[in-house]
Every structure is written in C-alpha cells, then in structure tokens.
Amino acid sequence: MIGKLKGLVDSFGDDWVLIDCGGVCYEVHCSTRTLQSLPRVGESAVVFIETILREDLIRLFGFASEAEKSWFLLLTTVQGVGARVALAILSVLSPSELSSAIALQDKAMVGRANGVGPKLAVRIVTELRGKVPALGGIDAGTLGLQTALGEGVAKSNVADAVSALTNLGYSSAQASAALARVVAKEGEDAATEKLIRLGLRELSQ
C-alpha cells in the first residue's frame, strides 16, 4: 500500500496532479488547497497518500499533511460523504478551520463546500462531535476551546463571539484560541458582547 509519494511534479489537472517517481507517473487526486500548495512542474514534491480500491477502480488521493489525510478519512465515515465531497470540504477549510467548525457545531461553515447541503452539514458536525481531539495536528487553540466548553460543543454565545471575531478579519483558529482563554477566566455563560470585547483584548496582546 502506498503511504507517501516523493517525486517530481509532472503536470496538473483540475483536481489531480501527476507525480513522477523514477519514471513512473502517479495520478493523485487532491483538494484545491493541496494542489495550490504544491511546487511548480519539474520541482520535487511530497504528498501523503490514501488509496481507494473498488471492483472497477483504483484511485490515489493525496494530501499536503497527515492532518489533512486524517480529516479525509474521518469525513468519509459520515454517511453521504464520499471521497469527492470530502475533498470539496478540505478545499474550502483547512484542518484547523474544520476542527473549529466541528467544535463550534458550525454547520454553515461546513456547508460552504460544494456538494454539502444543510442536512449533510448538520450530519457532519453532529457525527464528528467529540472525535476531533483524536486527530493529530489539530490547532491548539481549538483544543483549548473544546477543553473549556466540554465535549467539543460551544454554547451559542461563544459561537456568536467566534463568528463576530472572524467577521472582523481574524482566522477561526485565532478567534478560538483567544476565546478559549477568555472562557477559562470568565466562564462559558458570559454575555456575547463581553466575550467579544475580552476576545479582542486577548488578540491585541
């Protein structure tokens, strides 16, 4: 079984890259994020691989990191999420952003991906709740938020505060990390406005 490919980038397609490994070119299907992270044609690249075997198909899926691969495997355990939908989700959300979405039960964030309707988004955040900490490479701020709020589910006031901070231009990881510190000091029942104010103070330090 192929676990990782190291070789030269031969060419790109809409959702795949050809990796030349000693004269043998492997077609590897990737998320948009992974494709954008790869070097130019002719340069050396490393991709983590998951192989899908079916009666009429052998397909390689490639990832820029082990965290992204872990998310791919976890996403595909959800009914209705196949390989293409999982790649679509990973194309719009980084591993840390996806872990934040699950921790905050933010179905709208997950629903930004092509092929993910409202019902599927709810199923994803619900079924994966509590499974995020088992993955490697998860953003420390998200884990802090999950620990502070218990079982990976944020109350609406905290979710609203995270949303407000991200609307101000901060990343989900930054907002989650700041609010984790605030909640640890003020408690999870603090008013949304107070969480936002103290979160901005944390972010300005």
Side-chain angles (χ1 to χ4, degrees):
M1 190 66 66
I2 300 172
K4 182 164 60 175
L5 288 178
K6 294 182 179 180
L8 302 178
V9 176
D10 180 87
S11 58
F12 289 98
D14 290 338
D15 64 349
W16 53 264
V17 60
L18 280 184
I19 303 293
D20 185 343
C21 300
V24 178
C25 288
Y26 294 89
E27 183 178 282
V28 183
H29 294 263
C30 306
S31 69
T32 301
R33 284 178 176 270
T34 291
L35 289 175
Q36 292 174 345
S37 72
L38 292 173
R40 294 175 295 182
V41 171
E43 296 184 352
S44 180
V46 176
V47 286
F48 295 88
I49 298 294
E50 177 64 22
T51 304
I52 302 284
L53 298 175
R54 296 176 183 168
E55 292 183 0
D56 58 345
L57 177 70
I58 300 176
R59 179 162 289 178
L60 302 181
F61 293 89
F63 311 94
S65 67
E66 291 186 272
E68 187 187 22
K69 178 180 176 179
S70 294
W71 265 117
F72 175 83
L73 294 173
L74 188 56
L75 285 167
T76 53
T77 65
V78 178
Q79 182 181 359
V81 180
R84 289 191 177 278
V85 172
L87 285 185
I89 294 171
L90 292 169
S91 291
V92 298
L93 297 175
S94 68
S96 63
E97 289 170 336
L98 187 49
S99 63
S100 290
I102 301 301
L104 298 170
Q105 295 289 279
D106 190 343
K107 58 184 182 294
M109 193 172 182
V110 177
R112 289 165 45 193
N114 290 332
V116 180
K119 290 184 178 179
L120 183 55
V122 170
R123 188 182 306 146
I124 290 170
V125 299
T126 300
E127 291 190 14
L128 298 186
R129 182 176 63 191
K131 296 183 180 180
V132 175
L135 294 173
I138 298 302
D139 179 80
T142 299
L143 288 179
L145 180 63
Q146 291 174 302
T147 300
L149 302 182
E151 298 184 1
V153 182
K155 287 191 173 182
S156 60
N157 58 326
V158 181
D160 290 343
V162 170
S163 178
L165 293 179
T166 55
N167 287 337
L168 291 174
Y170 296 100
S171 70
S172 294
Q174 289 174 317
S176 295
L179 287 172
R181 294 191 292 270
V182 172
V183 168
K185 298 174 184 176
E186 303 293 330
E188 61 185 67
D189 293 323
T192 302
E193 293 77 10
K194 184 176 183 179
L195 291 175
I196 295 170
R197 185 178 72 255
L198 295 177
L200 286 170
R201 184 181 299 172
E202 289 284 340
L203 289 163
S204 67
Q205 293 179 0

